[in-house]
Amino acid sequence: QVQLVESGGGSVQAGGTLRVSCVVSGSPSLGNCLSWFRQAPGKEREGVASIYHGLVTTWYADSVKGRFTISQDNGKNTVYLQMNSLKPEDTAMYYCAAVGVPFWVNCRDTFLRGATGFRYWGQGTQVTVSS
């Protein structure tokens, strides 16, 4: 089992920054592919960024490349999503998700397939960006 607890959401004006965190507990092998997803009202859940624990390899949605950075602190068992240059369209509930995969390429492919490939989910943290 893997447990995920997000924190750090909030409200910010356009152009501002926020960092959301996800504390990961449980079996590392069951959650070595860690991702951030977001879901706005009336929209599907979409992948934002992903990181493969073993190699610290990362992937990003085109809409956030150059603005968001996913990272991990192994000592704190925490995954972060640093969000810069925020836009109103970034407003959504942000979820941390995890799944166990054998290789980094499986993490990439799982992330690109979308939310259905991830087994473990946090409760979400709200990010609101005003114009």
Side-chain angles (χ1 to χ4, degrees), residues 8-55:
S11 297
V12 66
Q13 289 190 328
T17 65
L18 276 175
R19 188 179 76 164
V20 291
S21 304
C22 173
V23 177
V24 184
S25 59
S27 175
S29 63
L30 297 180
N32 57 4
C33 179
L34 293 151
S35 296
W36 285 97
F37 284 78
R38 66 185 181 186
Q39 188 167 21
K43 294 188 176 181
E44 292 187 357
R45 193 168 296 191
E46 64 170 347
V48 176
S50 189
I51 188 167
Y52 180 65
H53 176 77
L55 295 177

Side-chain angles (χ1 to χ4, degrees), residues 49-79:
S50 189
I51 188 167
Y52 180 65
H53 176 77
L55 295 177
V56 198
T57 308
T58 59
W59 301 272
Y60 296 91
D62 288 342
S63 59
V64 305
K65 281 181 181 177
R67 299 189 298 123
F68 290 12
T69 303
I70 188 171
S71 62
Q72 63 184 68
D73 183 333
N74 293 331
K76 296 181 179 179
N77 293 325
T78 302
V79 177

